[in-house]
Amino acid sequence: ASRVVVASRNYADFASEATFEIKKCDLHRLEEGPSTTAVMTREEGLHYYKTMQTIRRMELKSDQLYKQKIIRGFCHLYDGQEACCVGLEVAIKPTDHVITAYRAHGFTYARGVPVREILAELTGRKGGCVKGKGGSMHMYTKNFYGGNGIVGAQVPLGAGIALACKYFGKNEVCLTLYGDGAANQGQIFETYNMAALWKLPCIFICENNRYGMGTSVERAAASTDYYKRGDFIPGLRVDGMDVLCVREAAKFAAEYCRAGKGPILMELQTYRYHGHSMSDPGISYRTREEIQEVRSKSDPITLLKDRMVNTNLASIEELKEIDVAVRKEIEEAAQFATTDPEPPLEELGNHIYFNEPPFEVRGPNQWIRYKSVS
């Protein structure tokens, strides 16, 4: 029935773009902030909607595969936080750089890795984006440096990438992400200091989902104003559940860095629906009612959907068709991820270095040798 309704409406019936009022960012050491209005075209809206819906469905499928013991080990899901990675990605260029922590599936997809390669990586298969050897926390692609399992360790790495951006003079920026749980670490403040001294084009981004593992931000941090934590570095506090808020703030931050003014800090106020990882049911330190309230009032996908329908950028039937297509794509990707073979043992030592001649690597004992190929 929905197909008949969509077919009866001409694309000319829809508005080509709409302007929205968005929440003002809180500012630190900035006289002006991002715009409080955002223009979104129909094409952009459909792209954002499909991308966020794909990430949501991919994470729900990952949850299912984990409970079936097809995915094993560590697995940290991103559902609820989709507006963060999508809003950031559409505000920067493909030549810019991104590095994040272990909740990385959404960023991996936003940076261009197909769903089937992400799910195959989660199941440890040869067709995974890292050939089945990285798993949930270690996914990479061009200008995306993971997925890092050591809490906070990606922040100094991100500053190093930003240093390379400045050194090569390509006018590129590096988005360096970490969570509220990592925000109290000393290495982060050391990195702020170096980045400010060297005026590095680094956007430090704290994804504040209100809980570091099972500890609320109020119990973990004397100050929960993460956007002010850079002290001498300007900061923005952003509604991380609104893809347009994130997009406008990220555009502002990227322009700030490209102008040679040095680093800037963003705090994205967001929320995760799942527990910290798959071993955490997520309801021992917060109530089911709290999670349900966020879902009903602040869900990033619902917010975008309502905006598009209310401004005639899309119809409910059209968005339902996208939902159906996304579910089909996820099911096909899951089928691939559960039938693709595991990588052969002889490839265990491969890809240690990029663009190096082959060399031997010792295996589990001194008599076993593997050849490492880039």
Side-chain angles (χ1 to χ4, degrees), residues 292-333:
Q292 193 53 45
E293 185 179 13
V294 176
R295 278 183 178 273
S296 62
K297 292 182 179 177
S298 308
D299 184 77
I301 297 174
T302 305
L303 176 65
L304 178 65
K305 179 181 180 179
D306 290 347
R307 275 180 171 160
M308 292 184 71
V309 172
N310 293 340
T311 55
N312 197 35
L313 288 176
S315 66
I316 290 174
E317 293 78 17
E318 186 179 20
L319 297 178
K320 279 182 181 173
E321 287 219 329
I322 291 175
D323 296 347
V324 170
V326 165
R327 288 187 191 200
K328 184 172 183 286
E329 181 189 1
I330 300 297
E331 287 304 322
E332 288 172 356

Side-chain angles (χ1 to χ4, degrees), residues 264-285:
I264 191 167
L265 207 158
M266 288 172 62
E267 175 191 344
L268 304 181
Q269 292 189 312
T270 185
Y271 197 83
R272 55 172 163 79
Y273 294 160
H274 267 85
H276 168 71
S277 69
M278 287 302 297
S279 60
D280 168 24
I283 49 170
S284 58
Y285 49 87

Side-chain angles (χ1 to χ4, degrees), residues 88-99 111 142-145 157-177 199-205 249-264 266:
L88 291 169
E89 181 60 40
V90 298
I92 60 172
K93 301 173 184 175
T95 50
D96 289 323
H97 309 266
V98 178
I99 186 167
R111 286 258 92 182
K142 187 172 177 59
N143 298 331
F144 177 62
Y145 307 83
L157 295 178
I161 296 165
L163 176 62
C165 292
K166 184 169 184 176
Y167 183 83
F168 291 116
K170 292 182 179 177
N171 203 27
E172 296 166 353
V173 300
C174 180
L175 274 57
T176 301
L177 291 110
K199 288 193 180 300
L200 300 182
C202 191
I203 306 174
F204 295 106
I205 303 168
K251 281 182 181 176
F252 176 89
E255 285 171 14
Y256 181 95
C257 286
R258 291 191 215 281
K261 296 177 183 177
I264 191 167
M266 288 172 62

Side-chain angles (χ1 to χ4, degrees), residues 215-272:
T215 307
S216 68
V217 291
E218 292 81 11
R219 292 180 59 212
S223 168
T224 57
D225 290 336
Y226 296 104
Y227 72 111
K228 294 181 180 178
R229 292 285 197 91
D231 187 13
F232 35 79
I233 297 175
L236 303 162
R237 181 157 60 193
V238 185
D239 181 357
M241 302 300 271
D242 181 348
V243 68
L244 295 181
C245 270
V246 177
R247 185 191 76 179
E248 293 306 306
K251 281 182 181 176
F252 176 89
E255 285 171 14
Y256 181 95
C257 286
R258 291 191 215 281
K261 296 177 183 177
I264 191 167
L265 207 158
M266 288 172 62
E267 175 191 344
L268 304 181
Q269 292 189 312
T270 185
Y271 197 83
R272 55 172 163 79

